[in-house]
Amino acid sequence: MVNVLVVGLDNSGKTTIIERLKPRPKQSMEVAPTVGFNVEEVQKGALTFTVFDMSGAGRYRTLWEQYYREADAVIFVVDSGDKLRMVVARDEMEHMLAHPNLRKVPVVFFANKKDLPISLPPAEIAQALGLNDIQDRPWNIFPSNGLTGEGLDRGMDWLAERLGKA
Amino acid sequence: MAATAQDSQAPLRGPEKKDEDREDESANRCDSRTVSRQYEQHSVWSCLQVITKLLYLLNQGESFTKKEAAEVFFGVTKLFQKQDINLRRMMYLCIKDICPGADEVIIVTSSLMKDMNSKTDLYRSNSVRVLSKIIDGQLLAQIERYLKQAIVDKSPVVASAALVSALHLLGNNAEIVKRWINEVQEAAQNKNNMVQFHAVALLHALRASDRLAISKLVTSLTKANVKSPLAQCLLVRYVAQVIQDSQPGPNGEQRPFYDFLESCLRHKAEVVIFEAARAICNLRDVTARELTPAITVLQLFLSSSKPVLRFAAVRTLNKVAMTHPLAVTHCNIDMESLISDQNRSIATLAITTLLKTGNESSVEKLLKQIGSFMSDIADDFKIVVVEAIRSLCLKFPTKQRALMNFLSGVLREEGGFEYKKAIVQSILVLIQEIPDAKETGLGHLCEFIEDCEFTYLSTQVLHLLGQEGPKTKEPSKYIRYIYNRIILENATVRAAAVSALANFGAVCEALRPRIIVLLRRALSDNDDEVRDRATLHLQQLEGKAGGPEAVQPRVDVNLTALEKALSDYLAGPTDKPFDISVVPKAPPPLRGAAGGLGLPSASTTSGGGALPATSAARKDPTAEYAELLRSIPQLAPLGEVFKSCEPFRLTEEDTEYAVFCIKHVYEGHIVFQFNCTNTIAEQVLEDVSVAMDLADAGDFEEAFTIPLETMPLNGVGQCFTVVTRQPGAIATGKIVNILKFKVKEIDPGTGEAEEEGYDDEYVLEDLEVTPADYVKPTLLGNFRKAWEELDPSTEKEDEYGLGQREALQDAVEAVIGILGMQPCEGSEAVPPNARSHTVLLAGIFVGYQQVLVRMSFGIDAGNNVAMKLVVRAESLELSEAIHQIIQDA
């Protein structure tokens, strides 16, 4: 049993990604903005992930911290096409990583919506978010497409490997 | 849901209760921290136990700090991953009961919405309940369709939950809930009793503000087949409400829906039968014929084996007995057998009902029976008995000796304050109403204060002894009782006793030397107040400090005004002494009115329950404006406002400026308050005032104006014009008003007002000051006594024709409206089909002068109404002024 916290700005694709992680018959194509949060269970190999899908809307972001203590891993979803709010995403991320309740758990960044023509490559996103400054915990960034599920497996595999080691 | 939660708490209750509060507190702290971690390591079972404990603490009135509540709440939210029905139910309860801040609680919205679409009925129903409690309007619009679905859900639990939630949501989000009417109507046809009940309640609530719609709804529902007994009960209540609101038809025509109520008396379910019977009994002006079927079913209930039915029936009959004692007499035999009922509440109600319906000969027998179980019943019911005895005593004054003995007997027994108070009040009423009972009553009260543990009652009785004792044949016999108080009681009672003794000394000259001796002994009392009173009264009895007459000074100021003035004085700087002359004078005390003894006035004696109700319904503009007027320094020297009139419009509708005038009448002034509103955005109006032309109102003289700096756009600003008149005079006349102001155009380019403006005027409608402006309604306990106390030489009588009217009631209401006085003793209601009627009105004129009016109305075959108006007042001039009001109208 592993608790995974899924965070990111609103409309970055968190709920869609989680839908795609579920087994195919249970998936639903229609996704509405999350109000508050949702809990889902996802099987990945030997591991069972309990996924806390947090709402990314501004008024709910302050509530993320209530769930930090139990988190064994964090998935941070970024909208690769949203250059304008990249600084907001960086701000939220730094805020989160600096929080005392969050242990030194691994963080997966999904550079989501890679199919968009205007999307930035992962390297540029890592640059924009200042990921290279993160020294105290394992992290990795993967390009992904929540609609097709492309790239998600790589990210989850990396996470499973990290957690397996620990 | 709640019931199960309680059950699961039951085993906990034993050990928890023994805990000290402090331990509870620490348990709660500990719990709130552990719960957030429980979910990881522990099983569903241990989570359940923790939540149960938390809920138990909450239900015991223990409150969590904001931080603790948040911690528990978030801990609980993390349990949404568990798919366990029992745990989920506890989570719902916990979220609902803890309900942290609005910012935090929204976090569960999405999870609840997921549950709302779950396949499990229990998830669906309970998540709807929780969601409706935490949701705001915007989110509600988003999930509206799910709620609509839930209302027509196949599962009754879900449908009921959705309907109840809708009822709660109606408060803040009425617009949205109103859109679900079709679904609710469908639910009202549901076969499930509970769903139908909730749907009917919601249908009614949706229309609550619209009387016509309610009437339509009730009509359609009474025709439709409402199966659920509970829903049927609701319907009976709604029908009763509709009947209440509708005017009774003329000429004994049957009221609407009466047939429906009567048919409900034959319903299968007892609860519906009772509800219908009760509704019939509570009908306004119910006739004996209408009552009969209801009384018959209640009589059957009286001999039911179920205590609750017996109780319900006897309680309803008890109420009916007050208004229709004859109708209840049929049940007397059944009720007599209830006197020995095991349930004391039933027995008490049976006895009091019998007391009300009984005749003079059965009084003693009943008293004996009551006496046998008086000690077994609760204080609440003892009070009911005491009240019944009081009304019986007033009904049969010849029986007062037996009843008074009974009261004094129960007075000596153990009892709480409220009970003792009820007895003392009853004796006070009897002393006042039945002259023969006075001496015995006073005697009983004297014995009561010998052994009374309630300071409040002791002081009240002592005051009464001081008032009434000296007037009896043998005043000296009370002195011993009073003096004993000075020796034995606490300071408050001692002080009251000193004052009471002094009264004896002041009134009975023969006793004075002896009283002086007794008062001297109180001079060394160790309480300041007692010593002060004794010293003062001694001086007065010895002819100093105003002499013996000053022992009982007449308070001639308005007490509420005095209180207000004193608190104002204390709020400001107190270096100057308080000036009592600024406090308005009160009307002379109405001797003989119930108020004289400090009793809860007429409603207890004359049974005129309608009296306070009407005065409450009439809103008093004076109190509304008094605060505003006091806040304006220029108006403060005018004293206390006597009366404020209703706003009067001085401009046509849809004009550039809206001006309303409110007249405030003072002792020697009239303040005209002008509420001004500018409706034109393109200009600014400054320095606004109203100039008055007093050519047709010679008794007035303009004093000063308080201009308004700028007239607010679409807001209300006030300017004032003050005129003087002879103090207390009833000056009248017509006043021409001109609104004066400075106009500054607003430059459409910059949006700023020009610097230079120009003066302009606007002619307003004329204002009239009439005698009616100087009179205001006043509550009066006993009209007849007050009437007789006014000097008959001030009486003035005249007759008036009022022309054609639909009914007498119209004429009565019109005249009351013109005079602006308070109807007394419920006389404003004309009995249906009456050809003549007498109305009693009480009012006070400016300067606090009493005016009483007796009007006799008559109506002839052609609906022409004639009125005879008799006025008594404190001066003939006032009586004439009243006639002037009618003549002008």
Side-chain angles (χ1 to χ4, degrees), chain A residues 8 13 35 37-38 76 81 83 86 97 108 114 119 125 142 163:
Chain A
V35 188
F37 80 108
N38 265 324
F76 197 100
K83 282 177 210 145
M86 211 53 85
L97 295 184
V108 175
K114 74 180 183 107
S119 67
I125 292 175
F142 301 93
L163 292 168

Side-chain angles (χ1 to χ4, degrees), chain A residues 1 3 34-41 50 52 54 59-60 63 66-67 69-70, chain B residues 36-37 39-40 74 77-78 80-81 103-104 106-111 114 136 139:
Chain A
M1 279 285 262
N3 291 314
T34 308
V35 188
F37 80 108
N38 265 324
V39 199
E40 303 280 356
E41 290 209 351
T50 305
F52 285 83
M54 307 303 296
R59 68 186 285 212
Y60 301 101
L63 300 175
Q66 299 291 341
Y67 299 84
R69 198 180 352 222
E70 287 79 23
Chain B
S36 50
R37 291 178 207 130
Y39 84 105
E40 266 189 294
F74 282 109
T77 63
K78 288 165 196 167
F80 266 109
Q81 54 168 314
D103 292 338
E104 289 157 351
I106 45 168
I107 194 95
V108 289
T109 316
S110 221
S111 307
K114 210 170 114 193
D136 61 15
L139 273 172

